Amino acid sequence: MRPAQLKRTAWGRLEPGGPVASDQRSSASASRYLPIADHGLIGDLRSVALVGTNGTIDWYCCSRFDGPSVFASILDADRGGAFELAADVPARTKQFYFPDTNVLITRFFAEDGVGEIQDFMPIVDDSREADRHRLIRRVVCVRGSLPFRARVAPRFDYASQPHTLHMEDSHAIFESASLSLALTASVPIERDGSDVWSVFKLHEGEIAVFALDRVGDSVVPRSCPLAEAEREFTATVRFWRKWLSASRYRGRWREMVHRSALTLKLLTYAPTGAIVAAPTTSLPEHIGGGRNWDYRYVWIRDAAFCVYALLRLGFTDEAEAFMSFLSNHVDLRHCNDSGPLQIMYGIDGRSELPERELHHLEGYQGSAPVRIGNAAVDQFQLDIYGALIDSIYLYDKWGKSISSQSWDSIVAVVDWVCDNWDRPDEGVWETRGGRKNFLYSRLMCWVAIERAMRMANRRGLPADIARWRRARDTIYRRIMQRGWSDKRAAFVQHEGDDVLDAALLMMPLTKFIAPTDPKWLATLDALGEQLVSDSLVYRYDPQASPDGLQGAEGTFSICSFWYVEALTRAGRLEEARLAFEKMLTYANHLGLYAEEIGHTGEQLGNFPQAFTHLSLISAAFNLDRHLG
């Protein structure tokens, strides 16, 4: 097909001509963004790319999760930059993962043929080649013949930094002040200003390859011929299958559990062992609203729960890597007024994460502002200590015994918790409506002390057990007396009110209260009546408990899986199984979840979210065990 047959859209994208395509283009102009759920994820354990069902990479931060974006059309369809690759005729598309891997296949079904794009990022060790951060897009015609089109339009540093283009032999070099990328292709590419495009046709069995590399310093441009792309594909498939083979899960929901495990692994930053909460920023919790946050960091709470989920499945290396992150980058014995821990850190362990707004980007479907950094880093949250100590306890039990130095750090943390558990804080949901005496924060302080006592007793480690026991028991009595509302006949979000909170679902999960205790069963019923909608669970009612933020939000998927587990432990297995199966229908076509589910079932918030996938693993594991 000749380049003249391509037409340019208002925002510079290449689209096929013809009357059918024109109708599709009119539809596309009305909605310039794919749904958040219409994406798959690939990565190299350092960064990731989101690939839409239309074949476009519309989110990619080269070299690291929290680096400046190269492609960000998911946050601004006009200015964000993208790597488009698709059939050049009207076609239906479907996406799936190559079995038991994170290699993503996008298939195009057209009148004259079927083709597919195989997207992956090779996994490289800590050698110099790891700095290449290669992204490979292999195009295959599997039936008939099919024309394809490509357009590579990087926009460096969140589309704020200009770049130049140099064409050298088979390479296109995109150079900006802070980053240079080299594109190689096995088909001809043409210049279009500072971008490149290509139109080519493949017949059955033919393959074309595009490879995008970071270059500079000691990494030089290198072509990616068909044979090398084949070797890289085979090696990448082998890596993911070997990793997944360590899973011990053999239950009913093996495919969903393993997809969640593979996703959690993708969210791991190999150089430090950090686990990010999500690989994106500013995908909205409410379309058009301002609840748009940067999740590309290490939340101590999220990462600690991830360790629990991975240990459950038998992945001890990831737990060990996170423990190394803590020991190398977090000084638990250093303490200020906010305690020895921040709620989050950078993937390299840095403590400063200044939040700023990028006003030149319109945001997903106009959901502004777009934010980078996260001001919640300065919040005071007590629940993180329970999550951390619980994960260390499980690692010590199921993984490797912790060192004497680590125990000294734990003692320092628990001593601090004993002195500070009674302080009001911002709470697990990071509300910006002022500090309160949240029940969940008290609960997790109890967990921190109780798990440390278990470790000390099991291994005979030195500790002031008498002091710890007094603090633990005082917290227990405080929760039972002031966290219970006779008026509501349930445990409540914080002292002095009658508001419900889905975080309370963790009470039996942490073994604070028996799952069949009458008070807990009454609370479970109250949560089901007030916060549950068709298995979906809201975190809390912001009208009843103002959180200092504007706009509404959807149901919170981690809470929905907590609800399944709470029902399971209460012996309500039919309800639990139905709720779990319903939750599976809210996953996207690849089994991935964003943070929230909207009113009509759409996925909202940063995508995919580690918190949701780890809670799916835990719910499936426990429901399986109880069903027998």
Side-chain angles (χ1 to χ4, degrees), residues 483-521:
W484 173 263
S485 166
D486 289 325
K487 177 182 177 181
R488 174 69 79 166
F491 290 104
V492 291
Q493 183 184 65
H494 56 82
E495 296 177 7
D497 212 330
D498 298 316
V499 178
L500 294 175
D501 189 329
L504 305 180
L505 290 164
M506 285 293 290
M507 293 181 75
L509 275 56
T510 59
K511 303 185 186 304
F512 174 87
I513 192 169
T516 55
D517 186 290
K519 283 190 171 183
W520 170 249
L521 293 178

Short mmCIF file of all heavy atoms in Angstrom, two decimals, residues 483-521:
data_model
loop_
_atom_site.label_atom_id
_atom_site.label_comp_id
_atom_site.label_asym_id
_atom_site.label_seq_id
_atom_site.Cartn_x
_atom_site.Cartn_y
_atom_site.Cartn_z
N GLY A 483 -14.09 1.00 69.65
CA GLY A 483 -14.28 0.78 68.22
C GLY A 483 -15.61 0.15 67.89
O GLY A 483 -15.98 0.07 66.71
N TRP A 484 -16.35 -0.27 68.92
CA TRP A 484 -17.66 -0.88 68.73
C TRP A 484 -18.74 0.16 68.96
O TRP A 484 -18.69 0.93 69.92
CB TRP A 484 -17.86 -2.04 69.69
CG TRP A 484 -19.24 -2.62 69.68
CD1 TRP A 484 -20.26 -2.33 70.55
CD2 TRP A 484 -19.77 -3.55 68.73
NE1 TRP A 484 -21.39 -3.03 70.21
CE2 TRP A 484 -21.12 -3.79 69.09
CE3 TRP A 484 -19.26 -4.20 67.62
CZ2 TRP A 484 -21.94 -4.66 68.39
CZ3 TRP A 484 -20.07 -5.07 66.91
CH2 TRP A 484 -21.39 -5.29 67.28
N SER A 485 -19.74 0.19 68.08
CA SER A 485 -20.85 1.12 68.22
C SER A 485 -22.12 0.34 68.52
O SER A 485 -22.58 -0.46 67.70
CB SER A 485 -21.03 1.93 66.93
OG SER A 485 -22.28 2.60 66.93
N ASP A 486 -22.69 0.57 69.69
CA ASP A 486 -23.96 -0.07 70.01
C ASP A 486 -25.07 0.41 69.08
O ASP A 486 -25.95 -0.37 68.68
CB ASP A 486 -24.34 0.23 71.47
CG ASP A 486 -23.44 -0.50 72.46
OD1 ASP A 486 -23.03 -1.64 72.14
OD2 ASP A 486 -23.15 0.07 73.52
N LYS A 487 -25.01 1.68 68.70
CA LYS A 487 -26.03 2.25 67.82
C LYS A 487 -26.00 1.57 66.45
O LYS A 487 -27.05 1.21 65.91
CB LYS A 487 -25.80 3.75 67.67
CG LYS A 487 -26.76 4.43 66.71
CD LYS A 487 -26.43 5.92 66.59
CE LYS A 487 -27.34 6.58 65.57
NZ LYS A 487 -27.01 8.04 65.41
N ARG A 488 -24.83 1.38 65.93
CA ARG A 488 -24.68 0.77 64.61
C ARG A 488 -24.67 -0.76 64.71
O ARG A 488 -24.90 -1.45 63.72
CB ARG A 488 -23.36 1.24 63.99
CG ARG A 488 -22.99 0.59 62.68
CD ARG A 488 -23.91 1.00 61.56
NE ARG A 488 -23.58 2.31 61.03
CZ ARG A 488 -24.04 2.77 59.88
NH1 ARG A 488 -24.88 2.04 59.16
NH2 ARG A 488 -23.72 3.97 59.47
N ALA A 489 -24.42 -1.29 65.92
CA ALA A 489 -24.27 -2.74 66.13
C ALA A 489 -23.18 -3.28 65.21
O ALA A 489 -23.34 -4.31 64.54
CB ALA A 489 -25.59 -3.47 65.90
N ALA A 490 -22.05 -2.55 65.22
CA ALA A 490 -20.92 -2.94 64.36
C ALA A 490 -19.67 -2.20 64.82
O ALA A 490 -19.75 -1.19 65.53
CB ALA A 490 -21.21 -2.60 62.91
N PHE A 491 -18.53 -2.73 64.43
CA PHE A 491 -17.30 -1.97 64.57
C PHE A 491 -17.31 -0.85 63.53
O PHE A 491 -17.87 -1.01 62.43
CB PHE A 491 -16.07 -2.87 64.37
CG PHE A 491 -15.87 -3.85 65.49
CD1 PHE A 491 -16.20 -5.19 65.32
CD2 PHE A 491 -15.34 -3.44 66.70
CE1 PHE A 491 -16.01 -6.11 66.34
CE2 PHE A 491 -15.16 -4.35 67.74
CZ PHE A 491 -15.49 -5.68 67.56
N VAL A 492 -16.67 0.28 63.88
CA VAL A 492 -16.78 1.47 63.03
C VAL A 492 -15.41 2.00 62.64
O VAL A 492 -14.38 1.58 63.18
CB VAL A 492 -17.60 2.57 63.73
CG1 VAL A 492 -19.06 2.15 63.84
CG2 VAL A 492 -17.02 2.89 65.10
N GLN A 493 -15.42 2.96 61.73
CA GLN A 493 -14.20 3.45 61.12
C GLN A 493 -13.25 4.10 62.13
O GLN A 493 -12.05 3.84 62.13
CB GLN A 493 -14.54 4.47 60.02
CG GLN A 493 -13.33 5.01 59.27
CD GLN A 493 -13.71 6.08 58.25
OE1 GLN A 493 -14.19 7.15 58.62
NE2 GLN A 493 -13.50 5.77 56.98
N HIS A 494 -13.78 4.95 62.96
CA HIS A 494 -12.93 5.63 63.93
C HIS A 494 -13.73 5.95 65.18
O HIS A 494 -14.97 5.93 65.18
CB HIS A 494 -12.31 6.91 63.34
CG HIS A 494 -13.32 7.89 62.81
ND1 HIS A 494 -14.00 8.78 63.61
CD2 HIS A 494 -13.76 8.12 61.55
CE1 HIS A 494 -14.81 9.53 62.88
NE2 HIS A 494 -14.68 9.14 61.62
N GLU A 495 -13.03 6.24 66.23
CA GLU A 495 -13.67 6.51 67.52
C GLU A 495 -14.51 7.78 67.43
O GLU A 495 -14.16 8.73 66.74
CB GLU A 495 -12.61 6.65 68.60
CG GLU A 495 -11.82 5.38 68.84
CD GLU A 495 -10.71 5.55 69.87
OE1 GLU A 495 -10.66 6.63 70.48
OE2 GLU A 495 -9.90 4.62 70.05
N GLY A 496 -15.63 7.74 68.13
CA GLY A 496 -16.47 8.93 68.21
C GLY A 496 -17.44 9.10 67.07
O GLY A 496 -18.00 10.18 66.89
N ASP A 497 -17.66 8.06 66.25
CA ASP A 497 -18.59 8.16 65.14
C ASP A 497 -19.18 6.78 64.86
O ASP A 497 -18.78 5.79 65.47
CB ASP A 497 -17.89 8.71 63.90
CG ASP A 497 -18.83 9.53 63.02
OD1 ASP A 497 -20.03 9.22 63.01
OD2 ASP A 497 -18.36 10.47 62.35
N ASP A 498 -20.12 6.73 63.90
CA ASP A 498 -20.77 5.46 63.57
C ASP A 498 -20.58 5.09 62.10
O ASP A 498 -21.38 4.37 61.52
CB ASP A 498 -22.28 5.55 63.88
CG ASP A 498 -22.56 5.78 65.35
OD1 ASP A 498 -21.89 5.11 66.17
OD2 ASP A 498 -23.40 6.63 65.68
N VAL A 499 -19.50 5.58 61.50
CA VAL A 499 -19.24 5.36 60.07
C VAL A 499 -18.61 3.98 59.87
O VAL A 499 -17.72 3.56 60.62
CB VAL A 499 -18.29 6.45 59.52
CG1 VAL A 499 -17.97 6.19 58.05
CG2 VAL A 499 -18.92 7.82 59.71
N LEU A 500 -19.05 3.28 58.83
CA LEU A 500 -18.47 1.98 58.50
C LEU A 500 -17.28 2.15 57.56
O LEU A 500 -17.16 3.15 56.87
CB LEU A 500 -19.53 1.09 57.84
CG LEU A 500 -20.70 0.67 58.72
CD1 LEU A 500 -21.72 -0.10 57.91
CD2 LEU A 500 -20.22 -0.16 59.91
N ASP A 501 -16.43 1.16 57.55
CA ASP A 501 -15.21 1.21 56.73
C ASP A 501 -14.86 -0.21 56.30
O ASP A 501 -14.77 -1.12 57.13
CB ASP A 501 -14.07 1.82 57.55
CG ASP A 501 -12.82 2.12 56.71
OD1 ASP A 501 -12.57 1.40 55.73
OD2 ASP A 501 -12.11 3.07 57.05
N ALA A 502 -14.62 -0.40 55.00
CA ALA A 502 -14.30 -1.74 54.49
C ALA A 502 -12.97 -2.26 55.01
O ALA A 502 -12.72 -3.47 54.96
CB ALA A 502 -14.30 -1.73 52.97
N ALA A 503 -12.11 -1.39 55.50
CA ALA A 503 -10.84 -1.85 56.07
C ALA A 503 -11.08 -2.76 57.27
O ALA A 503 -10.21 -3.57 57.63
CB ALA A 503 -9.97 -0.65 56.48
N LEU A 504 -12.26 -2.65 57.89
CA LEU A 504 -12.57 -3.51 59.03
C LEU A 504 -12.64 -4.97 58.64
O LEU A 504 -12.57 -5.86 59.50
CB LEU A 504 -13.91 -3.08 59.64
CG LEU A 504 -14.03 -1.61 60.07
CD1 LEU A 504 -15.40 -1.35 60.67
CD2 LEU A 504 -12.93 -1.23 61.05
N LEU A 505 -12.77 -5.26 57.34
CA LEU A 505 -12.78 -6.65 56.88
C LEU A 505 -11.50 -7.37 57.23
O LEU A 505 -11.45 -8.60 57.24
CB LEU A 505 -12.99 -6.69 55.36
CG LEU A 505 -14.40 -6.28 54.88
CD1 LEU A 505 -14.39 -5.98 53.39
CD2 LEU A 505 -15.40 -7.39 55.20
N MET A 506 -10.44 -6.61 57.54
CA MET A 506 -9.17 -7.22 57.92
C MET A 506 -9.17 -7.74 59.36
O MET A 506 -8.25 -8.46 59.75
CB MET A 506 -8.04 -6.22 57.74
CG MET A 506 -7.63 -5.99 56.29
SD MET A 506 -6.87 -7.44 55.54
CE MET A 506 -5.31 -7.49 56.43
N MET A 507 -10.19 -7.43 60.14
CA MET A 507 -10.18 -7.84 61.55
C MET A 507 -10.07 -9.36 61.70
O MET A 507 -9.19 -9.84 62.43
CB MET A 507 -11.41 -7.29 62.27
CG MET A 507 -11.41 -5.77 62.40
SD MET A 507 -12.86 -5.11 63.28
CE MET A 507 -12.45 -5.55 64.98
N PRO A 508 -10.91 -10.17 61.03
CA PRO A 508 -10.72 -11.62 61.16
C PRO A 508 -9.54 -12.13 60.33
O PRO A 508 -8.95 -13.15 60.68
CB PRO A 508 -12.04 -12.19 60.64
CG PRO A 508 -12.55 -11.17 59.68
CD PRO A 508 -12.13 -9.84 60.27
N LEU A 509 -9.20 -11.43 59.26
CA LEU A 509 -8.09 -11.88 58.41
C LEU A 509 -6.76 -11.80 59.14
O LEU A 509 -5.83 -12.57 58.87
CB LEU A 509 -8.04 -11.06 57.12
CG LEU A 509 -8.95 -11.52 55.96
CD1 LEU A 509 -10.41 -11.60 56.37
CD2 LEU A 509 -8.78 -10.60 54.76
N THR A 510 -6.65 -10.85 60.08
CA THR A 510 -5.43 -10.71 60.87
C THR A 510 -5.46 -11.53 62.15
O THR A 510 -4.52 -11.48 62.94
CB THR A 510 -5.20 -9.23 61.25
OG1 THR A 510 -6.33 -8.76 62.00
CG2 THR A 510 -5.01 -8.37 60.02
N LYS A 511 -6.59 -12.26 62.35
CA LYS A 511 -6.79 -13.09 63.54
C LYS A 511 -6.97 -12.27 64.81
O LYS A 511 -6.73 -12.74 65.92
CB LYS A 511 -5.64 -14.10 63.71
CG LYS A 511 -5.45 -15.00 62.49
CD LYS A 511 -4.41 -16.06 62.74
CE LYS A 511 -4.12 -16.87 61.49
NZ LYS A 511 -5.32 -17.50 60.91
N PHE A 512 -7.41 -11.01 64.66
CA PHE A 512 -7.71 -10.20 65.83
C PHE A 512 -8.98 -10.70 66.50
O PHE A 512 -9.09 -10.69 67.73
CB PHE A 512 -7.88 -8.73 65.42
CG PHE A 512 -8.32 -7.83 66.54
CD1 PHE A 512 -7.39 -7.26 67.39
CD2 PHE A 512 -9.68 -7.56 66.76
CE1 PHE A 512 -7.80 -6.43 68.44
CE2 PHE A 512 -10.09 -6.74 67.79
CZ PHE A 512 -9.14 -6.18 68.64
N ILE A 513 -9.94 -11.12 65.70
CA ILE A 513 -11.22 -11.56 66.21
C ILE A 513 -11.61 -12.84 65.48
O ILE A 513 -11.25 -13.02 64.31
CB ILE A 513 -12.31 -10.46 66.02
CG1 ILE A 513 -13.57 -10.79 66.83
CG2 ILE A 513 -12.64 -10.25 64.55
CD1 ILE A 513 -14.55 -9.61 66.90
N ALA A 514 -12.31 -13.72 66.17
CA ALA A 514 -12.76 -14.96 65.53
C ALA A 514 -13.73 -14.63 64.40
O ALA A 514 -14.59 -13.76 64.56
CB ALA A 514 -13.44 -15.86 66.55
N PRO A 515 -13.62 -15.28 63.26
CA PRO A 515 -14.47 -14.96 62.11
C PRO A 515 -15.94 -15.28 62.34
O PRO A 515 -16.79 -14.86 61.55
CB PRO A 515 -13.89 -15.81 60.98
CG PRO A 515 -13.16 -16.92 61.66
CD PRO A 515 -12.63 -16.34 62.94
N THR A 516 -16.25 -16.01 63.41
CA THR A 516 -17.65 -16.31 63.73
C THR A 516 -18.09 -15.63 65.03
O THR A 516 -19.16 -15.94 65.56
CB THR A 516 -17.86 -17.82 63.84
OG1 THR A 516 -16.93 -18.36 64.80
CG2 THR A 516 -17.65 -18.50 62.49
N ASP A 517 -17.28 -14.73 65.56
CA ASP A 517 -17.66 -13.97 66.76
C ASP A 517 -18.94 -13.19 66.46
O ASP A 517 -19.06 -12.57 65.41
CB ASP A 517 -16.51 -13.02 67.13
CG ASP A 517 -16.77 -12.31 68.44
OD1 ASP A 517 -17.66 -11.44 68.49
OD2 ASP A 517 -16.06 -12.59 69.43
N PRO A 518 -19.92 -13.18 67.36
CA PRO A 518 -21.18 -12.47 67.10
C PRO A 518 -20.98 -11.01 66.74
O PRO A 518 -21.68 -10.48 65.86
CB PRO A 518 -21.95 -12.63 68.41
CG PRO A 518 -21.42 -13.92 68.98
CD PRO A 518 -19.97 -13.95 68.62
N LYS A 519 -20.04 -10.34 67.41
CA LYS A 519 -19.80 -8.93 67.07
C LYS A 519 -19.27 -8.80 65.65
O LYS A 519 -19.63 -7.85 64.93
CB LYS A 519 -18.83 -8.30 68.07
CG LYS A 519 -19.44 -7.95 69.40
CD LYS A 519 -18.49 -7.11 70.24
CE LYS A 519 -19.19 -6.57 71.49
NZ LYS A 519 -18.30 -5.69 72.29
N TRP A 520 -18.41 -9.74 65.27
CA TRP A 520 -17.88 -9.64 63.91
C TRP A 520 -18.96 -9.97 62.88
O TRP A 520 -19.06 -9.30 61.85
CB TRP A 520 -16.67 -10.54 63.70
CG TRP A 520 -16.33 -10.58 62.24
CD1 TRP A 520 -16.45 -11.61 61.37
CD2 TRP A 520 -15.95 -9.44 61.45
NE1 TRP A 520 -16.15 -11.21 60.10
CE2 TRP A 520 -15.84 -9.88 60.11
CE3 TRP A 520 -15.70 -8.11 61.74
CZ2 TRP A 520 -15.47 -9.04 59.07
CZ3 TRP A 520 -15.33 -7.24 60.71
CH2 TRP A 520 -15.22 -7.71 59.40
N LEU A 521 -19.77 -10.99 63.13
CA LEU A 521 -20.83 -11.34 62.18
C LEU A 521 -21.81 -10.20 62.01
O LEU A 521 -22.31 -9.95 60.89
CB LEU A 521 -21.55 -12.61 62.64
CG LEU A 521 -20.70 -13.89 62.60
CD1 LEU A 521 -21.51 -15.08 63.13
CD2 LEU A 521 -20.19 -14.18 61.19
#
